[in-house]
Amino acid sequence: MKNAAQVRHLTIAFDNKPIVNDVCLDIPSHQISVLVGRSGSGKTTFLRAFNRLNEEHTGCQTSGELCLDLGTGLEKQSDIYAGSVTALRLRVGMLFQTPNVLPVSIWRNIAMPLEKLTNLSREAISQRVEKSLNDVGLWSEIHDRLHSPATRLSGGQQQRLCLARVLALEPKILLLDEPTASLDVLASKHIEQLLQQLVERYTIIMVSHSLSQACRLANKLFVFDSGNMVKSLSKQDGITEEKLAALIEPRL
Ligand SMILES: Nc1ncnc2c1ncn2[C@@H]1O[C@H](COP(=O)(O)OP(=O)(O)OP(=O)(O)O)[C@@H](O)[C@H]1O
């Protein structure tokens, strides 16, 4: 099986306080890898290493090696696109816990990043907007109100719009930080179904607090505890909620 990422001895500290400790793991291509663990165990910090988002914080120190395959084989992250963080983030897209739609129209939410970050023609941008809205199942719901404010969409639709905005930039890897945490059961189910379809085209790495969700979605599961990756499980191992709960239950 091909790997989309290889992490070796990754250590991340903020202001000299270690948050992620010497983590080694492989992320398989075109599968869903889920990171679980207690609050504060370092999952988000680990996830944010893949698009170098931790580096936005002064006082962050990272060591170890992270290699990514963004279409041309595994390469050191620091060498990809000659170290351009913006170019890297186009290929390693990220979706956050709470939908962060821009206070503009549905259409502009997707078109604006394409105008700013690519050299695509107006026509190509239109095609990407329509395709990405179709990919997240939104086109049929909102094609007649593309120019109304994105903030008028429901929470679930806003999260799918944010996903469409990421997909329009044609990433290879999707980072999802608790993408359904702010959504109701139906909207969460919709996102989960989308992820199961999208994994054919993208490698997905996600943080989840829901053990049932982790069991439904994970091809590969990594358990974090106090900044350490303490257990790795594959779908074939039989990932059950009971097994996971036992692995991450609070210390007495
Ligand atoms: N920019 C930062 N500066 C200093 N400390 C930070 C920073 N970001 C995260 N931390 C600390 O790192 C630790 C791990 O946080 P992180 O968000 O990675 O954990 P988590 O497992 O994702 O938690 P949760 O499940 O609650 O989201 C926490 O103690 C947090 O306060």
Side-chain angles (χ1 to χ4, degrees):
M1 186 188 303
K2 269 183 74 177
N3 287 328
Q6 278 181 358
V7 181
R8 296 292 178 265
H9 305 290
L10 186 70
T11 294
I12 304 167
F14 288 111
D15 302 320
N16 297 317
K17 184 180 167 214
I19 303 295
V20 170
N21 305 315
D22 198 30
V23 170
C24 298
L25 56 81
D26 292 340
I27 300 288
S29 292
H30 298 282
Q31 297 210 350
I32 301 180
S33 295
V34 182
L35 316 177
V36 295
R38 272 193 295 271
S39 187
S41 55
K43 305 177 297 293
T44 294
T45 304
F46 180 75
L47 189 74
R48 289 159 65 104
F50 287 86
N51 63 352
R52 297 177 54 185
L53 212 51
N54 293 315
E55 294 171 28
E56 301 299 326
H57 298 272
T58 51
C60 172
Q61 297 139 312
T62 303
S63 62
E65 194 172 277
L66 208 165
C67 293
L68 301 174
D69 180 357
L70 300 181
T72 51
L74 283 165
E75 251 186 290
K76 274 189 192 176
Q77 186 195 47
S78 51
D79 294 343
I80 292 173
Y81 304 118
S84 159
V85 172
T86 306
L88 172 77
R89 290 180 189 160
L90 290 180
R91 295 286 166 263
V92 186
M94 186 157 186
L95 188 67
F96 299 88
Q97 231 176 68
T98 313
N100 56 347
V101 295
L102 305 168
V104 291
S105 70
I106 295 169
W107 177 272
R108 298 286 303 146
N109 258 274
I110 304 182
M112 247 165 51
L114 290 170
E115 287 165 4
K116 283 193 192 318
L117 301 170
T118 72
N119 296 320
L120 291 171
S121 66
R122 283 172 73 92
E123 198 193 338
I125 287 178
S126 295
Q127 285 167 357
R128 287 252 195 129
V129 173
E130 181 172 342
K131 183 174 181 310
S132 63
L133 286 172
N134 258 316
D135 284 345
V136 299
L138 262 184
W139 181 258
S140 58
E141 289 171 40
I142 50 101
H143 69 275
D144 54 349
R145 50 188 167 123
L146 290 170
H147 300 291
S148 62
T151 45
R152 286 198 199 145
L153 296 172
S154 71
Q157 287 175 322
Q158 288 191 23
Q159 191 63 318
R160 281 188 285 144
L161 178 62
C162 292
L163 181 56
R165 191 169 60 201
V166 172
L167 298 183
L169 293 164
E170 300 196 332
K172 290 282 181 196
I173 297 178
L174 291 177
L175 308 177
L176 313 175
D177 193 0
E178 296 184 54
T180 62
S182 66
L183 306 182
D184 65 26
V185 176
L186 271 182
S188 301
K189 201 171 160 199
H190 203 152
I191 295 273
E192 284 188 19
Q193 285 166 345
L194 276 174
L195 298 181
Q196 280 164 328
Q197 292 161 16
L198 292 172
V199 74
E200 284 177 20
R201 284 156 47 196
Y202 308 96
T203 296
I204 296 176
I205 313 172
M206 73 183 280
V207 171
S208 179
H209 269 291
S210 160
L211 299 188
S212 57
Q213 178 176 70
C215 291
R216 283 192 296 277
L217 294 181
N219 302 107
K220 194 92 198 173
L221 195 133
F222 299 103
V223 181
F224 277 71
D225 186 0
S226 307
N228 302 298
M229 198 281 284
V230 293
K231 185 85 179 167
S232 133
L233 293 168
S234 298
K235 204 180 181 94
Q236 302 85 282
D237 300 327
I239 302 172
T240 63
E241 271 189 74
E242 293 71 30
K243 207 186 255 186
L244 289 186
L247 285 168
I248 65 176
E249 69 190 7
R251 280 193 209 99
L252 295 173

